[in-house]
Amino acid sequence: MAYANRNSSWRNLYMWTSIPAIFYCVIVKFFVRESPRWLLVKGRKEEAAETLKCISSITQSNVNLAVNGIFPSNVDPDLTMNNTDLYCALKILLQKKWSSRRLWTVMASGFGIGLVYYGMPLGLGNLSFNLYLSVTLNALSELPSSLLTFVLIDKFKRRNALLVFTVVSGVFSVLSSIEGKVWSQMEIWFELISFFSACTAFNVYLIYTTELFPTCVRNSALSMARQALVLGGSISPVVVGEGRKNKFVCYGVFGLVICCSGVFGVFLPETRGRPLSDTMEDEESKGRSATLA
């Protein structure tokens, strides 16, 4: 009976926590407009004009002028509205050497960040500290992390920020795995600094990925980046489980992996202060210009 009640309580918990998500989906469906920029790149000029009219107070003539002036003339025909292939953007990403190299580099970096971001809270039971208090402190550390990202994202270069936060997270994660009486008293603070840095690196990583790819393929690139993050998170329970026998296998591995993931950012172009591209050709030309400079 106790087992049945416990299962029922978890079912109720999942049911009640899913209700806000359902309301959110309904609100997005009926009240949120598609991006005019994306519609223009897809060649859907009429829908873009209607969206601009709904979200702004400009006149029809100004809308038409804006649409005709912004609409890129070199849109890849494979990405227009006549194409029903759901994977056409991903194919274009992988066909070009520079974009495929950039995508694989982003995914490699995301794998390590995801491993630590999702795995560290799972490994708190391996520390000699109150589990409930440590979980609360970890959850609270995400708030200043988001605030720090918001305040400083325009002041730091993306590559430098990603590298610094991943290395700091890795160093303190390794420190939290060291055995000893003195180290055991400090391990929760090392872990909090490491997790805070991992959260900040997570935020910078998503912003950086958004800026690395043009509008026509940005959704596909972000989807692959998110998959890399989640893939790292799916492996983290295995690492945490092995860490119960040896703490270094948990937090030591986390630290080494996220340090390596930050190094991949060195091979990516800097995007701070650079306008977003709409087409692959625009992004290619910007890459050539940056190389020549």
Side-chain angles (χ1 to χ4, degrees):
M1 179 64 70
Y3 181 77
N5 289 337
R6 184 176 63 181
N7 286 344
S8 177
S9 66
W10 277 105
R11 283 197 292 268
N12 291 335
L13 177 64
Y14 277 112
M15 183 186 71
W16 287 110
T17 54
S18 65
I19 291 176
I22 294 173
F23 278 113
Y24 173 80
C25 293
V26 172
I27 291 172
V28 169
K29 172 65 176 176
F30 293 104
F31 296 100
V32 177
R33 294 279 179 175
E34 185 57 78
S35 166
R37 191 186 188 103
W38 181 83
L39 290 171
L40 287 173
V41 171
K42 289 291 184 178
R44 296 154 66 173
K45 299 175 67 174
E46 294 79 10
E47 294 180 57
E50 287 298 321
T51 302
L52 286 173
K53 286 173 59 180
C54 291
I55 64 178
S56 66
S57 59
I58 59 178
T59 62
Q60 179 64 44
S61 59
N62 289 333
V63 166
N64 293 333
L65 181 61
V67 169
N68 292 326
I70 297 172
F71 182 70
S73 58
N74 55 345
V75 176
D76 195 316
D78 292 335
L79 293 171
T80 59
M81 61 184 301
N82 296 325
N83 197 317
T84 57
D85 188 358
L86 296 176
Y87 304 102
C88 62
L90 185 58
K91 290 177 182 176
I92 292 174
L93 267 174
L94 297 177
Q95 283 172 356
K96 294 184 177 291
K97 289 184 179 180
W98 67 267
S99 58
S100 62
R101 190 185 308 116
R102 192 177 294 184
L103 179 64
W104 291 119
T105 305
V106 164
M107 292 180 66
S109 180
F111 176 83
I113 295 173
L115 178 70
V116 176
Y117 178 78
Y118 292 110
M120 258 193 177
L122 296 178
L124 292 173
N126 297 336
L127 301 179
S128 54
F129 193 77
N130 183 278
L131 178 60
Y132 300 102
L133 182 58
S134 59
V135 170
T136 302
L137 292 174
N138 269 258
L140 291 175
S141 67
E142 293 209 43
L143 299 177
S145 168
S146 299
L147 180 61
L148 180 68
T149 306
F150 175 76
V151 172
L152 299 180
I153 192 63
D154 290 331
K155 297 178 174 60
F156 292 127
K157 292 183 177 181
R158 308 296 188 255
R159 288 190 301 184
N160 295 346
L162 188 66
L163 180 62
V164 167
F165 285 115
T166 52
V167 170
V168 170
S169 176
V171 169
F172 280 95
S173 181
V174 172
L175 289 176
S176 66
S177 67
I178 299 177
E179 302 285 351
K181 183 177 181 181
V182 177
W183 292 101
S184 297
Q185 296 174 353
M186 297 293 295
E187 63 184 8
I188 184 60
W189 303 111
F190 291 151
E191 191 276 338
L192 283 173
I193 296 173
S194 178
F195 185 67
F196 171 84
S197 301
C199 291
T200 310
F202 183 93
N203 297 333
V204 173
Y205 169 80
L206 292 178
I207 295 171
Y208 194 18
T209 304
T210 302
E211 298 173 342
L212 280 170
F213 296 94
T215 305
C216 59
V217 295
R218 188 172 296 126
N219 286 343
S220 296
L222 279 171
S223 298
M224 296 299 292
R226 290 287 305 184
Q227 286 300 312
L229 289 167
V230 174
L231 178 61
S234 66
I235 297 175
S236 60
V238 179
V239 179
V240 171
E242 291 298 320
R244 292 171 184 165
K245 305 171 187 175
N246 184 349
K247 193 189 299 182
F248 183 82
V249 176
C250 179
Y251 284 96
V253 170
F254 284 164
L256 295 176
V257 171
I258 196 169
C259 279
C260 293
S261 68
V263 175
F264 285 103
V266 177
F267 302 101
L268 295 170
E270 182 55 52
T271 60
R272 176 178 171 243
R274 195 185 71 173
L276 297 178
S277 302
D278 286 326
T279 65
M280 300 292 282
E281 288 75 13
D282 291 342
E283 186 65 28
E284 258 184 299
S285 63
K286 289 178 183 177
R288 286 194 295 266
S289 301
T291 303
L292 293 175

